[in-house]
Amino acid sequence: MDEARRRHYLEALGIELWRSRDASPVPVAGTADGTPPDPRGQPAPDVPPQRVAPAAGVTEPSPGEPDTAALDWPGLEARVAGCRACGLCEGRTRTVFGAGARDADWMIVGEAPGAEEDRRGEPFVGAAGKLLDRMLEAIGLARDRVFIANTLKCRPPGNRDPRPEELAACRPYLERQIALLAPRLLLVVGRVAAQALLASEHPLGRLRGRVHELPGHGIPVVVTYHPAYLLRSPEQKRQAWRDLLLARSASRG
Ligand code: URA
């Protein structure tokens, strides 16, 4: 990506560009790979993409959960569309299966559909989705070149947090999506999705900043802030940018 484009994307992300004292623009590339300079004036260090060993994960369906192991993409999508495995089916307008390239290298996993996603049947189409698109663009990825899904395929009422039994009921769908896609990298946005996927109770702050392995799959996982949180806390965008660079380097490893 050339410098002008990188600057454009960082500005779009809302990441402040640093200027020298004579006010001429300083190149955003604080390091060879374009990491923005650290706010304290030090170049941001490259984070080595070392993988953290997985916790024991839940990959087998328990009795009563949908068995998805033999389904192809169309079969899985149809199964999700008719799912009644938990109470969320009562309140949904549409299921939100996931969207994007079914041969993508990157899979993005969020929490659950919101109101706009429930109406349109597509993940991340509201305000948070627009920021997610810009985050992906910042590292040269168009939305239609990744696959975007959620831990839940139906909207929880009032956007409340997913309940453990809802996550468990929906998990086989996400597991099958991951198996069919076999991505090179999972970028997980937000605490709920990160804790669910990594079978961890650690807070987001402890899950960010390193490369995990997806239990049962061995796929590298990088965790970052949920774009809805970044909309409320734009000062964290610089950290999110570092997560994206970590994800990019892990996907190449
Ligand atoms: N938030 C999510 O986690 N997923 C969506 O699809 C939309 C908002």
Side-chain angles (χ1 to χ4, degrees):
M1 196 186 314
D2 68 31
E3 193 52 39
R5 269 167 79 79
R6 189 183 303 284
R7 290 176 64 79
H8 167 78
Y9 289 139
L10 287 173
E11 273 168 341
L13 254 180
I15 293 175
E16 181 189 329
L17 299 180
W18 285 65
R19 292 176 187 278
S20 67
R21 288 207 184 110
D22 66 4
S24 54
V26 171
V28 167
T31 67
D33 67 358
T35 312
D38 184 88
R40 292 172 303 264
Q42 300 297 319
D46 263 347
V47 192
Q50 284 171 349
R51 296 218 200 148
V52 176
V58 186
T59 55
E60 296 294 320
S62 317
E65 287 179 5
D67 185 2
T68 58
L71 297 176
D72 60 6
W73 280 110
L76 185 62
E77 192 163 7
R79 186 72 66 82
V80 168
C83 182
R84 305 197 63 79
C86 79
L88 294 180
C89 63
E90 306 294 343
R92 73 182 175 219
T93 310
R94 292 166 182 242
T95 54
V96 179
F97 178 69
R102 292 179 177 184
D103 61 352
D105 284 343
W106 284 45
M107 182 169 188
I108 319 298
V109 183
E111 182 177 320
E116 186 68 13
E117 290 77 18
D118 172 71
R119 255 193 307 276
R120 290 175 49 184
E122 215 187 303
F124 282 101
V125 287
K130 302 226 164 26
L131 179 56
L132 178 64
D133 291 352
R134 296 210 301 274
M135 291 165 69
L136 294 172
E137 272 177 48
I139 46 163
L141 284 172
R143 179 185 171 96
D144 62 2
R145 289 308 311 150
V146 301
F147 190 84
I148 306 177
N150 284 307
T151 54
L152 291 188
K153 311 304 187 207
C154 296
R155 181 190 182 209
N159 297 345
R160 65 157 167 73
D161 279 358
R163 295 186 176 142
E165 65 274 18
E166 294 160 353
L167 289 166
C170 223
R171 178 70 179 231
Y173 299 131
L174 184 61
E175 288 286 341
R176 187 65 187 147
Q177 287 177 312
I178 294 168
L180 286 168
L181 189 65
R184 291 176 64 86
L185 178 95
L186 277 175
L187 179 68
V188 181
V189 301
R191 175 188 62 83
V192 170
Q195 290 181 338
L197 272 166
L198 296 172
S200 168
E201 294 189 347
H202 289 319
L204 188 84
R206 284 196 55 194
L207 296 173
R208 285 187 51 251
R210 55 203 166 121
V211 182
H212 304 262
E213 247 177 47
L214 185 66
H217 295 264
I219 297 169
V221 176
V222 171
V223 172
T224 192
Y225 294 113
H226 195 288
Y229 170 76
L230 291 174
L231 288 172
R232 297 191 301 272
S233 306
E235 70 283 358
Q236 301 296 343
K237 285 182 183 171
R238 184 172 292 274
Q239 297 300 325
W241 170 245
R242 292 162 81 105
D243 298 335
L244 292 172
L245 293 177
L246 176 63
R248 191 172 64 177
S249 90
S251 74
R252 290 172 176 170

